[in-house]
Amino acid sequence: MNKLTYFPGCSAHGTSEEFDHTLKLVMQTLDVQMEEIPDWNCCGATSAHVMTENLALALPMRNLVLAERLENKTMGIACASCYSRMKGTKKHLDENPELARRINTTVIDEGEYKGTIDIKSMLQYCYEEIGLETIKSKVTKSLSGLKVACYYGCLLTRPKDITLFDSPEYPMSMDLLMEALGAKAMEFDFKTECCGASFSISNTEVVESLSGKILEVAKESGAHLIVVACPLCQSNLDMRQPDIEKHTGRKFDLPVMYFTQLMALAFGYPEKELKLPKHIVSVEAALKHIGEAIPEPEKVKKIKKAVEAESEVE
Amino acid sequence: MITLGLLEKNTFLEAVNKKSGTNVLECYQCGKCVSTCPVSGYMDFPPREIMQMIKLGLKEECYMANSMWFCLTCSACSGRCPREIDVPAVMEAIRHLAIEENYRSENKKVKDIRKFHDIFLDMIKRYGRNYELRMMAEFNIRTRNLFKDMHLAPKALLKGKIPIGHESTKSAKAIQKMYKLAEKLEKDMK
Ligand code: SF4
Ligand code: SF4
């Protein structure tokens, strides 16, 4: 059994409960024991770094210090925003011991910061630590027939010197993970475009414009649904979708699911465990495609024919 | 207006470089950041222009621009910058300097964005964690826009998407102490 220190982030108990819940199920199947950091606090994501320097480091530092007290030294983070803040802070602190010492004076009761924790996003943990082969071996219900567009957003792979994971321009880890479940990952050029993130409440006009473009490209990819690994991306693409449709006059009808929901489904958990009623854009119709045969695209057929013809000539 | 004499020291540039840990002088104005940035169209001055303004010492113009408030820290630009300039760190540096030196833009969007962040930080101070519905409600009250997103609320609430209640965490006390100490630290550093 593997052990993992878990930082759920604030939205796990709010907007992204279905992420948290299915993540726990999936980890159970994969024989990973998750230990939540006791008494964790908000990492300050989206706002602390905007307004202040010290708090932006102190808030994540407290969580890191609390995590260091636990036996296990790998931390998994569900939310991409928390992941970026915590890992960015760690890098900053580790590279500047004097700064770490200074910030540590605001976190005195919790103890000394040592920098011994290795931080991974849950997608990264699945991909790097557990591995696709193991994941594949747990699939009892293949998702074949389901076409998905994997959306990574900004913070899972960028900046690359902080995340140290996958490609900042065209990552493939989630795509490969989906293929391991049997689904078909579509070519999708807007994988790492920003959804408007933290402007969700304060600047909805920007969110609608940016998320609208992502939905449009995802739709064109032929996907039945979008897969995400971040609660902010999920709520921007799902909750704002009806408004975006109203303002652009386009109909997308693209459900937005967490990768862990699809893993849970493929691992044989009943649909009710996915908490599907929480979705604003209904998921049911998309999931009906599971089991369908996907015909080879015309383009591929043509290319194959041409290659055959050529080899005959030779 | 360019007020920088040839021999005048560009203290603004120095301050930005120090805070951001990047050297703005390295920018050779290729504009790659502008075409990459998802919000450059909303900015008073897109990243490339901000870089040049810093080089020219146009401090107040930078402080009063909306650019650094619109930056989403998505790091798309810095990933592609051929000079490896950490553009979001530069944006952040200008923002922090503007706050420290008490510059306030009267632009409605900038005011909204600032208010949102204030509420967010307030919420952490009070509860140690962040509660989305409360934050949305407070934002609407404080921007006098009570009905914004109200059409989303019933459906989101009904679906349990946004819980009404919130837990009080033990961490709240620790965080309040941290805020005090961080404030003191900020003063000591000055
Ligand atoms: S991409 Fe880099 S070098 Fe080019 S204009 Fe932007 S900051 Fe300057
Ligand atoms: S980090 Fe800021 S300036 Fe750079 S592309 Fe993203 S939003 Fe634009």
Side-chain angles (χ1 to χ4, degrees):
Chain A
M1 170 161 303
N2 288 317
K3 274 197 171 175
L4 181 67
T5 301
Y6 177 48
F7 182 78
C10 297
S11 53
H13 298 278
T15 49
S16 72
E17 202 194 331
E18 63 271 38
F19 189 12
D20 183 65
H21 180 70
T22 48
L23 177 65
K24 284 174 179 157
L25 294 179
V26 165
M27 286 300 138
Q28 217 169 1
T29 305
L30 293 167
D31 216 17
V32 176
Q33 194 191 352
M34 299 212 288
E35 187 179 356
E36 193 167 311
I37 301 174
D39 193 30
W40 57 269
N41 57 270
C42 172
C43 68
T46 58
S47 290
H49 74 96
V50 175
M51 305 298 285
T52 81
E53 274 168 74
N54 292 341
L55 266 185
L57 297 170
L59 287 163
M61 184 196 243
R62 181 171 180 275
N63 291 320
L64 291 169
V65 171
L66 292 176
E68 284 171 0
R69 286 196 201 158
L70 305 175
E71 192 190 327
N72 172 66
K73 296 295 173 236
T74 306
M75 184 198 294
I77 301 185
C79 165
S81 221
C82 305
Y83 167 66
S84 172
R85 277 298 131 203
M86 300 265 275
K87 207 163 177 175
T89 297
K90 183 178 152 48
K91 183 168 188 285
H92 219 55
L93 295 176
D94 293 351
E95 284 173 0
N96 306 285
E98 173 48 32
L99 178 74
R101 199 197 48 73
R102 216 179 323 134
I103 301 295
N104 214 162
T105 62
T106 68
V107 195
I108 30 178
D109 295 340
E110 286 74 6
E112 193 194 338
Y113 172 79
K114 299 193 193 79
T116 48
I117 297 289
D118 187 21
I119 303 171
K120 293 196 186 291
S121 72
M122 286 316 301
L123 175 67
Q124 186 177 15
Y125 185 75
C126 286
Y127 188 76
E128 288 178 348
E129 301 292 311
I130 297 173
L132 296 180
E133 280 312 308
T134 310
I135 291 171
K136 212 172 187 169
S137 73
K138 302 285 182 192
V139 174
T140 58
K141 182 188 170 196
S142 164
L143 303 184
S144 66
L146 188 65
K147 296 193 227 167
V148 301
C150 294
Y151 176 66
Y152 300 71
C154 323
L155 302 174
L156 282 175
T157 61
R158 278 199 310 259
K160 65 175 192 297
D161 58 334
I162 287 180
T163 62
L164 306 172
F165 175 59
D166 215 336
S167 152
E169 294 282 351
Y170 203 80
M172 282 302 285
S173 49
M174 208 195 306
D175 294 67
L176 296 171
L177 176 64
M178 286 301 125
E179 303 240 319
L181 306 178
K184 177 150 181 57
M186 308 303 284
E187 253 175 62
F188 176 37
D189 286 338
F190 268 45
K191 279 178 178 190
T192 56
E193 288 293 320
C194 181
C195 67
S198 52
F199 285 164
S200 176
I201 293 176
S202 60
N203 204 343
T204 34
E205 175 198 337
V206 171
V207 171
E208 286 188 14
S209 157
L210 302 188
S211 292
K213 281 185 211 148
I214 294 165
L215 289 169
E216 209 166 304
V217 178
K219 191 77 191 171
E220 274 162 23
S221 79
H224 300 130
L225 55 85
I226 299 177
V227 194
V228 295
C230 167
L232 260 182
C233 305
Q234 203 280 343
S235 82
N236 280 342
L237 294 173
D238 182 39
M239 201 155 75
R240 298 273 166 207
Q241 200 174 128
D243 276 357
I244 297 170
E245 286 180 338
K246 204 157 75 198
H247 297 152
T248 57
R250 278 206 60 176
K251 191 91 188 109
F252 298 112
D253 218 357
L254 269 176
V256 187
M257 294 182 79
Y258 292 104
F259 73 101
T260 51
Q261 285 176 299
L262 290 168
M263 282 173 90
L265 191 65
F267 289 174
Y269 286 101
E271 250 181 47
K272 72 171 198 326
E273 293 286 359
L274 310 188
K275 297 189 181 267
L276 298 181
K278 281 188 161 266
H279 289 255
I280 301 290
V281 180
S282 165
V283 175
E284 277 81 4
L287 293 185
K288 290 223 168 73
H289 292 285
I290 294 175
E292 274 176 11
I294 300 177
E296 205 158 11
E298 284 305 315
K299 221 169 42 185
V300 177
K301 267 194 217 160
K302 257 193 205 156
I303 295 171
K304 272 193 180 165
K305 241 192 204 155
V307 171
E308 263 169 36
E310 203 160 288
S311 59
E312 267 165 33
V313 172
E314 279 168 11
Chain B
M1 192 179 56
I2 299 171
T3 51
L4 190 73
L6 270 182
L7 297 172
E8 220 169 304
K9 211 168 162 220
N10 190 344
T11 49
F12 178 49
L13 170 75
E14 280 172 9
V16 172
N17 278 354
K18 181 156 177 262
K19 247 196 181 12
S20 65
T22 205
N23 184 3
V24 174
L25 283 176
E26 292 273 322
C27 167
Y28 57 26
Q29 294 287 297
C30 67
K32 212 167 183 176
C33 49
V34 187
S35 48
T36 302
C37 177
V39 284
S40 56
Y42 296 93
M43 290 178 176
D44 292 337
F45 305 100
R48 180 190 64 82
E49 285 177 35
I50 289 284
M51 297 300 149
Q52 195 64 2
M53 286 159 71
I54 298 169
K55 287 193 208 174
L56 293 171
L58 301 177
K59 182 171 104 170
E60 293 199 3
E61 286 80 350
C62 280
Y63 286 170
M64 297 309 279
N66 70 0
S67 309
M68 69 282 201
W69 294 100
F70 268 72
C71 170
L72 289 151
T73 329
C74 73
S75 297
C77 52
S78 43
R80 291 184 188 164
C81 170
R83 305 296 289 161
E84 292 183 11
I85 288 176
D86 192 343
V87 183
V90 172
M91 291 287 185
E92 191 137 300
I94 305 174
R95 205 189 311 114
H96 286 165
L97 287 168
I99 294 173
E100 277 168 27
E101 295 178 31
N102 262 320
Y103 280 82
R104 271 181 186 275
S105 160
E106 283 306 308
N107 178 294
K108 161 102 176 48
K109 276 278 168 236
V110 172
K111 279 165 100 179
D112 278 1
I113 293 168
R114 276 188 86 145
K115 216 165 269 168
F116 168 82
H117 293 306
D118 285 339
I119 294 169
F120 195 111
L121 285 173
D122 240 33
M123 189 83 47
I124 309 177
K125 188 176 179 182
R126 265 186 285 167
Y127 306 115
R129 290 185 194 166
N130 184 16
Y131 300 96
E132 289 130 321
L133 182 74
R134 261 200 105 96
M135 203 164 60
M136 216 182 219
E138 255 178 65
F139 179 79
N140 290 354
I141 291 167
R142 288 182 39 185
T143 52
R144 300 211 165 69
N145 191 358
L146 279 183
F147 300 107
K148 181 176 170 292
D149 289 336
M150 273 312 261
H151 62 294
L152 291 176
K155 206 171 175 192
L157 284 176
L158 207 66
K159 289 180 165 241
K161 191 77 202 158
I162 299 179
I164 304 174
H166 55 77
E167 342 147 59
S168 255
T169 52
K170 273 198 288 168
S171 58
K173 267 220 169 71
I175 300 303
Q176 277 148 26
K177 189 167 177 185
M178 177 199 289
Y179 269 59
K180 265 198 205 118
L181 291 170
E183 219 169 86
K184 189 174 161 285
L185 187 63
E186 214 129 303
K187 272 192 204 122
D188 291 349
M189 276 158 64
K190 265 182 206 163

